Amino acid sequence: MDFLRLSDVDVHGKRVFIRADLNVPLDNGHITDDTRIRASVPAIHDALTRGASVMVTSHLGRPVEGKLTKADTLEPVAARLGELMRREVRLIRDWVNGGVWHSSLAMGDLVMLENCRVNPGEKDDSVPLARQMANLCDVYCNDAFGTAHRPEATTHAMALYAPVACAGPLLAGELEALGKALDAPARPLVAIVAGAKVSTKLAILRTLLAKVDTLIVGGGIANTFILAAGGRIGKSLAEPDLVPEARSLLDEFAGRIPLPVDAVCAKRFAADAAPAIKAIDEVADDDLILDIGTNTVAMLLPLIAGAGTIVWNGPVGVFEFDAFAHGTRALADAIAAAPAFSIAGGGDTLAAIAKFGVTGGIGYISTGGGAFLEFLEGRTLPAVEVLERRAREVSAPLTASPIP
Ligand code: ADP
Ligand code: MG
């Protein structure tokens, strides 16, 4: 990974634009987990103490472009960052074209720029938007590992047009740690891929299966495989369109994708729904599979105990409801107790790890979910690729094509 790092850049007297990942879970405007904000402090602190003026932005949730609603504002995030850094963090709205807030930025100033995903063109990686934003800064710093797999204006195109483009310590650190762990992993390498984002996760399993020895599936992904194997899932979460793909994976990687043999079912998706453990052939048409069953857990535990390396993304059941949390808790405990080096990533996966108190037993916790899976797959993340491209241009100035 050959890119410029923030620590290599002389930022004294410069305007530094940091694209962070401050996409924290909110409950009625209250932050329920501030891990991502804490993780973003080192880059901001480093630039400020070296005499920069700092603008930091992030996406939050999935807003509609052009419309800032109360649910999308970074207000609570700015307040929390202010508490962590013991200073006021002013939040700037409508910041893309600069203005008074920008022309009056002084050394040591820190401002937060409102939810970047509200800007029209952000999600489409718009070049005109990226150029406007690049005009605001002397140094662009990407410190958002969690969005590194999405080419958007603040994660990708902007890096092409800013005078200097570099990676922040969190992005660089995650890439390094994951790279080291997965370069020559101790075998067997066991991956657990579960959760609710079925279509995006299923799409990467073919490349993942080429790298791992065993793939444990859960959640909506397992349900899709059960369907592909001719099993019954009732009304459970699954992706019927991907059943042919799941079937072809089962054929091609026979014996490496153990499927659940039983499940905890309910008639309703609710915390107080009555749980019933059923063998997969007994699942009724009006059942919802909400967790893996006890026989499935018993079948999976030796695989985890015998692994050399474990990578985990996605809870295997609806762990938010206690009656359906057993499977995820049992796997979390087993991963924490296993001698294998373990890596976990994903918003809800981290929430499960925190809920079950096994943080200390996990070898490395990644802030990324989708980015983490694409990294596992062996793909170069777009946000990283563009920083590498900029670094090549700088190191070979005579042959490099000018920045458009
Ligand atoms: P992550 O954020 O770790 O990448 P996802 O967002 O893909 O994970 O999925 C997490 C969600 O999946 C959790 O909220 C959990 O309740 C849900 N889930 C897990 N198993 C099931 C299931 N069998 N049916 C419905 N939802 C499930
Ligand atoms: Mg999630």
Side-chain angles (χ1 to χ4, degrees), residues 268-273 320-324:
R268 293 180 298 128
F269 187 91
D272 62 351
E320 297 91 338
F321 301 159
D322 288 342
F324 309 99

Side-chain angles (χ1 to χ4, degrees), residues 20-21 42 76 112 126 128 140 146 151 158 166 187 197 228-229 247 286 299 315 320 343 357 371 381 383 392 399:
D21 176 7
M112 184 171 288
S126 154
Y140 161 85
M158 197 177 164
C166 63
R187 300 276 172 177
K197 285 182 218 136
R247 196 173 295 135
D286 63 346
M299 170 187 95
E320 297 91 338
I343 311 173
L381 306 173
R392 282 197 300 275
T399 53

Side-chain angles (χ1 to χ4, degrees), residues 197 201 315 346-349:
K197 285 182 218 136
K201 292 186 182 186
D348 293 289
T349 307

